[in-house]
């Protein structure tokens, strides 16, 4: 069966970076950081990315490229008649869980793009912005409509296989997003009281580091780098035999982290300046950003372009999520690509509707005091992704083994890689131990 429905010719860096950079960086990272003690969270986050980012990402790439298959097929090929393919199924389930709540927020980027075009933020104060944000969540059908449109767009791209084109655009659009973030950062830092936000972001208060901060940082790192659920196995399966996977993993990790930190530099100084609590969660980004644009020359245009780019960043991430489910249905269940896409999209929307509705004031669906949206978010980032990543490094370190690993990352000995021993050591011992310890402390 042909595997070139998606991504055969696209630059793998653009594709993997497209998957990594998204709402996780600009929306979720500031939320998590704000709720988990600011600078202390940033420090732990950076340490985790530095130590685990490249090794875990490489592990996924190796599994994918060696087998040229989707996550389930890959484990079946490497260890037939074992329980390992279950890990692939967990990845597919996790993709569905993430899609369900991610598409809710992705839908908001469309609503906010339309509002930006209609100049609806002009002259509003922060209280009005906050009220309107809450009021918007209470209009269930509108949230679901945008969410449905977003999932439809994702399905369209995945089905048409025009991802190649999308990635080409995103090679231009994503640097543009970084550029706008840089401009915003300058404006934000120079707002009155902005430096308090920088202190919050960069000055770690070590007493704030608790088990739950550790697990949140771990989950955020995996979420942001799209690791631990098979997206990168799937993308790895498209990496060419002559590509250098280590430098690819390094570039993706670095650019993703840069965007997240930059988002922090944009959000927190402005939030402090406008009197928004760093723990404001969802509203932090959606309310703070328009306020910054209101304070800028040409703010209207910046605002429109920004929300369009944010939606594109979200789209390149949802494409990768849907592709995991579709690749499974096509290659393992043997459905056509068309039906696989329809089925996967409908399933995501069916669960996603409840995530959107759960944010209604007071009346939303909640489990144990958490909205259904938060439950899905927690389940994926704090449980499924760390568990998935743990199993993946254990697989590469202990089952696949050193010879096969070195063979893959050096392209059969063609690439000289002096640090390959260190990377393997991290994969075999450090990463499993670190993930397990953080995971257990987080649960206690
Ligand atoms: N990494 C994406 C982001 O930060 O927005 C979200 C994501 C995409 C998570 C794909 C997991 C994934 F498999």
């Amino acid at each position: 069966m042909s595997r070139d429905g998606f991504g055969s010719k696209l630059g793998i860096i653009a594709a993997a970076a497209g998957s990594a950079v998204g709402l996780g960086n600009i929306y979720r990272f500031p939320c998590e950081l704000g709720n988990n003690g600011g600078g202390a969270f940033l420090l732990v986050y950076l340490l985790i990315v530095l130590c685990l980012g490249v090794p875990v990402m490489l592990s996924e790439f190796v599994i994918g490229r060696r087998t040229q298959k989707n996550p389930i097929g890959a484990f079946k090929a490497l260890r037939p008649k074992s329980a390992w393919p279950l890990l692939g199924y967990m990845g597919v389930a996790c993709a569905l869980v993430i899609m369900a709540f991610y598409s809710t927020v992705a839908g908001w980027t469309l609503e906010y793009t339309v509002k930006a075009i209609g100049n609806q933020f002009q002259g509003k104060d922060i209280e009005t912005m906050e009220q309107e944000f809450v009021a918007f969540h209470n209009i269930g059908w509108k949230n679901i409509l945008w969410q449905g449109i977003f999932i439809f767009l994702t399905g369209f791209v995945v089905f048409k296989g025009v991802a190649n084109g999308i990635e080409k655009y995103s090679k231009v659009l994503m640097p543009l997003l970084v550029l706008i973030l840089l401009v915003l950062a300058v404006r934000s830092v120079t707002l009155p009281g902005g430096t308090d936000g920088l202190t919050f972001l960069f000055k770690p208060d070590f007493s704030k580091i608790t088990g739950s901060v550790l697990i949140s940082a771990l989950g955020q790192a995996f979420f942001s780098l799209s690791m631990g659920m098979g997206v990168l196995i799937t993308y790895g399966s498209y990496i060419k035999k002559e590509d250098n996977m280590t430098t690819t993993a390094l570039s993706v990790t670095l650019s993703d982290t840069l965007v997240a930190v930059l988002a922090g530099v944009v959000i927190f100084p402005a939030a402090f300046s406008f009197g928004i609590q760093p723990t404001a969660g969802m509203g932090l980004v959606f309310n703070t950003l328009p306020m910054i644009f209101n304070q800028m020359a040409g703010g209207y245009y910046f605002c429109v372009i920004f929300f369009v780019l944010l939606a594109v960043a979200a789209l390149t991430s949802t494409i990768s999520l849907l592709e995991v489910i579709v690749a499974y249905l096509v290659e393992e269940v043997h459905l056509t690509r068309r039906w696989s896409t329809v089925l996967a999209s409908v399933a995501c929307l069916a669960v996603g509707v409840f995530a959107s509705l759960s944010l209604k004031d007071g009346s939303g669906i909640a489990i144990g005091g958490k909205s259904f949206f938060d439950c899905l978010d927690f389940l994926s980032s704090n449980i499924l992704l760390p568990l998935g990543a743990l199993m993946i490094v254990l697989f590469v370190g202990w089952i696949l083994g050193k010879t096969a690993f070195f063979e893959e990352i050096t392209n059969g000995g063609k690439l000289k890689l002096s640090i390959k021993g260190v990377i393997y050591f991290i994969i075999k011992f450090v990463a499993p131990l670190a993930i397990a310890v953080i995971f257990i402390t987080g649960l206690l």
Side-chain angles (χ1 to χ4, degrees), residues 93-338:
C94 187
L96 181 76
V97 171
I98 297 182
M99 259 311 265
F101 73 89
Y102 198 89
S103 55
T104 300
V105 186
W108 300 346
T109 64
L110 298 180
E111 163 84 4
Y112 272 64
T113 302
V114 172
K115 279 189 186 230
I117 293 171
N119 204 7
Q120 288 186 34
F121 307 125
Q122 189 60 44
K124 289 199 172 141
D125 58 15
I126 188 66
E127 282 79 29
T128 319
M129 287 295 302
E130 280 171 344
Q131 278 161 13
E132 289 187 1
F133 188 61
V134 174
F136 167 55
H137 292 156
N138 286 335
I139 315 174
W141 67 266
K142 211 172 183 187
N143 284 264
I144 294 169
L145 182 70
W146 284 128
Q147 180 177 33
I149 292 175
F150 206 95
I151 293 178
F152 176 81
L153 279 175
T154 310
F156 184 79
V157 176
V158 167
F159 171 63
K160 282 281 181 190
V162 291
N164 201 355
I166 287 272
E167 299 301 341
K168 270 196 199 115
Y169 286 120
S170 76
K171 266 188 211 165
V172 182
L173 296 180
M174 289 308 107
L176 197 62
L177 180 67
V178 173
L179 207 67
I180 294 205
L181 282 173
L182 276 172
V183 174
L184 277 170
V186 172
R187 177 66 278 219
S188 179
V189 170
T190 50
L191 286 168
T195 41
D196 290 347
L198 287 181
T199 311
F200 176 76
L201 178 62
F202 290 116
K203 195 155 175 244
D205 172 356
F206 292 100
S207 68
K208 294 252 168 71
I209 301 180
T210 60
S212 98
V213 168
L214 290 178
I215 183 84
S216 302
L218 186 78
Q220 174 59 26
F222 290 157
F223 185 88
S224 192
L225 293 169
S226 304
M227 291 189 321
M229 50 156 293
V231 158
L232 299 172
I233 295 181
T234 310
Y235 277 21
S237 72
Y238 299 113
I239 298 183
K240 296 193 203 75
K241 287 291 172 200
E242 62 276 11
D243 283 348
N244 185 337
M245 292 195 283
T246 313
T247 48
T248 303
L250 196 65
S251 338
V252 174
T253 307
L254 283 180
S255 33
D256 185 75
T257 308
L258 178 83
V259 176
V261 174
L262 203 52
V265 177
V266 171
I267 299 296
F268 290 103
F272 274 75
S273 175
F274 298 124
I276 304 170
Q277 289 301 318
T279 49
M282 298 168 166
L284 192 58
V285 171
F286 283 89
N287 296 329
T288 310
L289 283 169
M291 295 300 290
I292 311 177
F293 291 118
N294 277 346
Q295 305 277 334
M296 281 168 64
Y300 170 82
Y301 298 100
F302 274 113
C303 189
V304 173
I305 299 171
F306 178 84
F307 278 112
V308 170
L309 292 179
L310 189 59
V312 174
L315 186 65
T316 51
S317 300
T318 51
I319 290 169
S320 71
L321 286 163
L322 199 69
E323 179 63 24
V324 170
I325 312 175
V326 171
Y328 156 68
L329 292 173
V330 172
E331 291 173 19
E332 302 298 313
V333 188
H334 305 296
L335 296 180
T336 61
R337 195 163 177 88
R338 173 192 299 261

Side-chain angles (χ1 to χ4, degrees), residues 246-437:
T246 313
T247 48
T248 303
L250 196 65
S251 338
V252 174
T253 307
L254 283 180
S255 33
D256 185 75
T257 308
L258 178 83
V259 176
V261 174
L262 203 52
V265 177
V266 171
I267 299 296
F268 290 103
F272 274 75
S273 175
F274 298 124
I276 304 170
Q277 289 301 318
T279 49
M282 298 168 166
L284 192 58
V285 171
F286 283 89
N287 296 329
T288 310
L289 283 169
M291 295 300 290
I292 311 177
F293 291 118
N294 277 346
Q295 305 277 334
M296 281 168 64
Y300 170 82
Y301 298 100
F302 274 113
C303 189
V304 173
I305 299 171
F306 178 84
F307 278 112
V308 170
L309 292 179
L310 189 59
V312 174
L315 186 65
T316 51
S317 300
T318 51
I319 290 169
S320 71
L321 286 163
L322 199 69
E323 179 63 24
V324 170
I325 312 175
V326 171
Y328 156 68
L329 292 173
V330 172
E331 291 173 19
E332 302 298 313
V333 188
H334 305 296
L335 296 180
T336 61
R337 195 163 177 88
R338 173 192 299 261
W339 281 109
S340 302
T341 313
V342 171
L343 197 68
S345 307
V346 169
C348 292
L349 186 60
V351 185
V353 162
F354 295 101
S356 285
L357 291 179
S358 74
L359 297 173
K360 264 188 167 179
D361 233 4
S363 63
I365 316 145
I367 304 170
K370 259 187 197 303
S371 69
F372 185 60
F373 179 103
D374 284 338
C375 290
L376 294 178
D377 183 320
F378 184 87
L379 173 68
S380 53
S381 300
N382 291 23
I383 298 177
L384 296 177
L385 296 183
L387 215 55
L390 175 65
M391 300 310 285
I392 285 167
V393 282
L394 284 177
F395 182 84
V396 172
W398 296 86
I399 310 282
L400 191 66
K402 195 173 184 172
T403 317
F405 180 73
F406 284 175
E407 199 176 290
E408 279 301 325
I409 62 169
T410 61
N411 295 349
K414 284 195 203 78
L415 297 174
K416 274 205 79 60
L417 204 68
S418 48
I419 54 161
K420 61 179 189 292
V422 179
I423 299 179
Y424 183 69
F425 181 80
I426 296 180
I427 291 174
K428 187 159 182 167
F429 300 106
V430 182
L433 205 69
I435 299 172
V437 167

